Amino acid sequence: MNNYKIFEPIRTAVAIIIALIIAFIVILLVSDDPIGTMTILLVGPLKATRYLGNVIELFIPLAFTGVATAFLFRAKLFNLGAEGILYICGIIATVIAIKLKGYGILQAVVAIGVASVVGMLLGGIPGILKAKWNINELVVSLMFNSIFFGIGFYILNNYLRDTDQSLVASYRFVEPGKLALGNLVAGTRIHYGLILVLIVALLSYVFMFKTKWGYALRMTGANNRFAYYMGIKTFSVIVYTHLIAGFIAGMGGAVEVLGMYDRFRWGALPGLGFDGALVALLGKDHPLKALLAALFLAYLRIGADIMARSTEVPSEMIAIIQAIIILLISAERFLAKWREKQLVKEAK
Amino acid sequence: MGNIWEIIFATDFIFSVVRVTTPILLAALGAIVSDRAGVVNIGLEGIMLMAAITGVVISAQTQSAFIGLFAAVCAGILIALILGYFVLEMKSNIILGGIAVNLFASGGSVFLLYVLTGEKGTSSSLASKVVPNINIPIIKDIPIIGEIISGHNLITYIAILSVVAVYLMLNKTPMGTKIRSVGENYHAAESVGINVKKVRYIALGLSGMFAGFGGAFLSMGYVSWFSRDMSAGRGWIALAAEAMGGGNTIGTTITALIFGFAQAFANSLQGLNIPSELITIIPNVVTVLGLCIFAITKTTKVRKVKANEKNNN
């Protein structure tokens, strides 16, 4: 049984190692100093407190979207809508934050609260469409990403835009040099959103594994027909899973905007929502393991950024690593023979 | 409102509907073939993107549009087969596999572009070639019809021929029967000696080929350069078109045309006094509405049939 338990972590580790080896081969092709480049990618973030701070700063939104997507994937709902919800809820948080500028803690609390609720309602739309009419949630969620971006960008350009700024940006919602979510660790930009995301992940874990709703959710994901015949109301499971995921993604958008910026600055979808899918997958759709996955991905991303700044290899290189990790981890047959051997050995 | 009608009934608008529909239609054909074999290819979006960059790069290297087109299509097939390997041999989840393809293409195409040109936005510094437009003799001289039908890009005509080919292949050939039977019930297909894996490889390869043509059209026909994420959701719209068309070639072609119409309409509204951010979402809104209308009418039909059955018993 012990070997069986450690199988999954080993498999994940092997997948990551293979991906890194392939990444190294690619670097070998494009870089003059492949070993130096690879070293920067792998240990670059450890070199300065500021870089480590960057890792945690990036971890926060990735953890939000990762936990949100873990709910959906756990129920076998392939919805990638966290991206659009993150964006539009960032806009909503900005609107409120501008209105409540100078109200201190109240500003952040109200902005995050309202954005989360809006995220929940918007996230529920594909859920109801799926539950009621079995409309493909993947396609709908992707269409909604573009729709939410279009509407959000329209609001930004027409109602929030500070025309004194050369780049796309909203009006300021905090005084210069301050951030709405404060500073948690001196010397970095880590903000109180970190504590919030840890609480959200913990509550998600409790919900998913210690309540009957979480049980229904997991059963629906494991086998929705079986769950249905067992008497689980799969209709409501699909809807509340979407509502929760939307709530968390919306909160993530608000926290990211208020925690990291003094103005809303996203002129395009930031991609953090799509990364949530990868985080959820790496974390095996488990809220706490998703935290580890988010930390890993954030580390890799910051490593890639440092690499792109100091070498000629672009940070998009990371896309290759990600694709290989997804393919290998989702592959049931990957290392299956090895596992079968282990099982046989134990039986003897 | 007057000028909106003027826009829609102009011949160049209908011409642009055909043009805009081309990549959606090609990707939708890919969606049909793969879905009918029971392995719906979610990676169409990414395959188009990789084909688009391949076409630009190879045509710039060889200075031949046709070698570029050929390479783009090969790239499409290759990626689809790699996806096939993971799904069929390694038992990856097809949806996650498709997501991996899309993530890879979005970053990988920019990576390739940067390594080759040092730019991350567009390939304008590469002297890539464009697949030529074709004027059809005789037809081009017919008023109105000639203006709409003639003068399109070669790939547009390939798309139209592909519709016929896919229809005939699925409905009139042994291969089509195999694909459909594998998609309907692969256990049954297996039991009569059909090589399920092989059929699915072929179906995925074909879907990659069609998406490859679609991607090549984007960078070598629609415009003459590659730009970051230029497939812009067309692969997803194609999947929606296929779902609404019920996996049927003619139905899917019609829905692809509807989405192409929405896109062309959005394009021509750019000149009017409507915020451009809202115009860009029109095709997406139409797609969601289309999916809803289709699914709602379908479920009501099913419910009616069930209710009738109950009454008869």
Side-chain angles (χ1 to χ4, degrees):
Chain A
M1 196 58 210
N2 273 333
N3 273 325
Y4 181 77
K5 261 192 179 167
I6 60 163
F7 174 70
E8 282 300 329
I10 288 178
R11 224 173 71 105
T12 307
V14 173
I16 290 169
I17 291 167
I18 293 180
L20 289 176
I21 291 172
I22 296 177
F24 182 68
I25 296 170
V26 175
I27 288 178
L28 215 54
L29 295 175
V30 299
S31 170
D32 303 326
D33 175 20
I35 294 177
T37 307
M38 195 69 188
T39 315
I40 295 175
L41 174 66
L42 292 181
V43 299
L46 299 175
K47 293 226 166 106
T49 326
R50 190 163 54 90
Y51 292 153
L52 277 176
N54 290 343
V55 172
I56 303 297
E57 288 149 23
L58 183 57
F59 160 81
I60 296 168
L62 291 179
F64 269 116
T65 55
V67 172
T69 313
F71 270 97
L72 294 161
F73 281 12
R74 177 63 83 158
K76 285 268 156 50
L77 297 163
F78 291 105
N79 176 317
L80 297 180
E83 183 74 41
I85 292 178
L86 183 99
Y87 188 89
I88 192 115
C89 290
I91 290 279
I92 286 160
T94 306
V95 172
I96 295 166
I98 289 173
K99 287 254 185 291
L100 292 182
K101 189 176 170 183
Y103 279 82
I105 183 88
L106 193 69
Q107 179 196 33
V109 171
V110 175
I112 293 174
V114 173
S116 309
V117 171
V118 171
M120 179 173 84
L121 298 176
L122 295 177
I125 300 172
I128 288 170
L129 296 180
K130 169 76 179 178
K132 203 151 184 182
W133 294 293
N134 198 24
I135 300 174
N136 186 322
E137 74 282 7
L138 182 63
V139 174
V140 169
S141 66
L142 285 157
M143 293 298 127
F144 270 121
N145 284 345
S146 309
I147 294 172
F148 290 151
F149 170 69
I151 295 172
F153 200 48
Y154 170 75
I155 297 173
L156 175 63
N157 274 336
N158 290 279
Y159 301 102
L160 305 176
R161 183 155 184 179
D162 186 347
T163 41
D164 293 340
Q165 296 279 310
S166 55
L167 292 168
V168 180
S170 74
Y171 296 111
R172 261 178 195 290
F173 42 73
V174 281
E175 296 306 321
K178 277 191 170 178
L179 286 172
L181 288 183
N183 189 301
L184 192 59
V185 182
T188 68
R189 287 161 72 204
I190 299 173
H191 50 81
Y192 281 90
L194 179 63
I195 293 171
L196 199 56
V197 77
L198 294 178
I199 295 172
V200 165
L202 194 65
L203 290 178
S204 300
Y205 167 75
V206 171
F207 180 88
M208 206 185 266
F209 291 94
K210 309 287 173 194
T211 68
K212 66 173 187 180
W213 300 287
Y215 179 75
L217 188 161
R218 286 181 289 131
M219 281 304 113
T220 306
N223 187 336
N224 64 350
R225 281 197 196 159
F226 179 69
Y228 179 78
Y229 290 124
M230 236 167 50
I232 288 172
K233 291 186 184 65
T234 46
F235 178 93
S236 68
V237 171
I238 293 173
V239 173
Y240 71 64
T241 305
H242 273 87
L243 291 175
I244 294 171
F247 184 88
I248 298 174
M251 183 183 279
V255 167
E256 179 66 3
V257 168
L258 297 180
M260 296 294 290
Y261 305 98
D262 53 355
R263 311 164 181 271
F264 186 94
R265 290 181 185 276
W266 289 331
L269 288 174
L272 295 164
F274 290 126
D275 295 334
L278 183 58
V279 171
L281 184 69
L282 271 174
K284 297 279 164 206
D285 309 337
H286 186 296
L288 299 181
K289 290 179 192 164
L291 292 181
L292 279 180
L295 192 61
F296 166 74
L297 190 62
Y299 183 89
L300 206 59
R301 284 283 165 81
I302 298 300
D305 278 347
I306 301 170
M307 175 188 77
R309 264 179 305 199
S310 49
T311 70
E312 67 276 36
V313 181
S315 59
E316 275 78 8
M317 154 91 222
I318 226 68
I320 300 170
I321 301 182
Q322 288 173 3
I324 296 165
I325 293 178
I326 296 181
L327 282 174
L328 289 180
I329 289 186
S330 67
E332 277 173 31
R333 295 298 306 167
F334 175 59
L335 292 185
K337 279 211 179 112
W338 178 75
R339 173 182 165 180
E340 279 153 17
K341 265 187 207 156
Q342 294 290 320
L343 283 176
V344 172
K345 242 189 223 167
E346 253 162 60
K348 274 178 186 167
Chain B
M1 285 312 273
N3 33 9
I4 290 180
W5 292 115
E6 274 168 35
I7 289 172
I8 293 177
F9 287 110
T11 49
D12 55 347
F13 175 75
I14 302 173
F15 181 90
S16 76
V17 170
V18 177
R19 202 168 87 96
V20 168
T21 303
T22 302
I24 301 174
L25 178 59
L26 280 163
L29 290 174
I32 294 175
V33 178
S34 62
D35 191 29
R36 291 306 282 270
V39 277
V40 56
N41 186 350
I42 303 282
L44 293 169
E45 173 86 4
I47 292 176
M48 287 172 95
L49 209 51
M50 287 310 284
I53 180 90
T54 309
V56 162
V57 169
I58 301 293
S59 74
Q61 294 280 334
T62 59
Q63 287 298 305
S64 158
F66 288 97
I67 298 179
L69 175 61
F70 179 73
V73 173
C74 287
I77 296 173
L78 181 70
I79 296 173
L81 291 182
I82 294 174
L83 176 65
Y85 172 78
F86 275 97
V87 170
L88 301 172
E89 311 286 346
M90 305 286 280
K91 304 281 176 218
S92 287
N93 178 307
I94 180 104
I95 297 192
L96 294 175
I99 290 173
V101 167
N102 294 329
L103 266 179
F104 167 76
S106 175
S109 57
V110 176
F111 176 78
L112 211 61
L113 183 67
Y114 180 79
V115 168
L116 293 169
T117 67
E119 278 174 58
K120 282 191 177 184
T122 69
S123 70
S124 45
S125 62
L126 285 174
S128 60
K129 295 283 167 187
V130 175
V131 176
N133 292 342
I134 307 275
N135 283 315
I136 308 172
I138 305 171
I139 289 180
K140 76 172 163 38
D141 300 321
I142 304 173
I144 303 176
I145 294 174
E147 282 169 46
I148 295 169
I149 295 179
S150 178
H152 282 285
N153 192 279
L154 173 67
I155 301 175
T156 300
Y157 296 112
I158 293 178
I160 295 168
L161 292 178
S162 301
V163 171
V164 180
V166 167
Y167 178 81
L168 292 177
M169 198 267 298
L170 282 177
N171 298 303
K172 309 281 176 196
T173 67
M175 192 62 224
T177 317
K178 279 184 190 168
I179 288 180
R180 284 184 292 132
S181 60
V182 165
E184 287 285 330
N185 186 335
Y186 68 95
H187 288 301
E190 218 161 22
S191 72
V192 294
I194 293 175
N195 185 341
V196 173
K197 233 182 229 179
K198 187 176 137 195
V199 170
R200 287 189 161 164
Y201 267 122
I202 293 173
L204 278 175
L206 285 173
S207 79
M209 181 186 84
F210 288 123
F213 273 116
F217 177 78
L218 291 178
S219 65
M220 302 172 69
Y222 195 71
V223 292
S224 58
W225 60 85
F226 172 84
S227 66
R228 185 183 198 125
D229 287 323
M230 77 186 306
S231 48
R234 288 184 179 87
W236 299 106
I237 292 179
L239 285 168
E242 193 267 348
M244 275 172 69
N248 151 325
T249 317
I250 296 166
T252 305
T253 306
I254 293 169
T255 30
L257 271 167
I258 295 173
F259 293 152
F261 178 88
Q263 178 80 58
F265 184 61
N267 291 350
S268 52
L269 284 183
Q270 304 283 10
L272 299 181
N273 231 346
I274 302 171
S276 62
E277 303 92 345
L278 298 183
I279 288 172
T280 54
I281 68 174
I282 291 176
N284 300 295
V285 173
V286 170
T287 306
V288 172
L289 287 179
L291 275 175
C292 292
I293 293 167
F294 168 74
I296 292 168
T297 46
K298 198 170 117 186
T299 40
T300 21
K301 253 187 214 162
V302 171
R303 275 180 202 148
K304 260 187 201 160
V305 171
K306 277 189 182 158
N308 281 341
E309 273 172 3
K310 265 188 193 164
N311 292 341
N312 292 342
N313 291 339

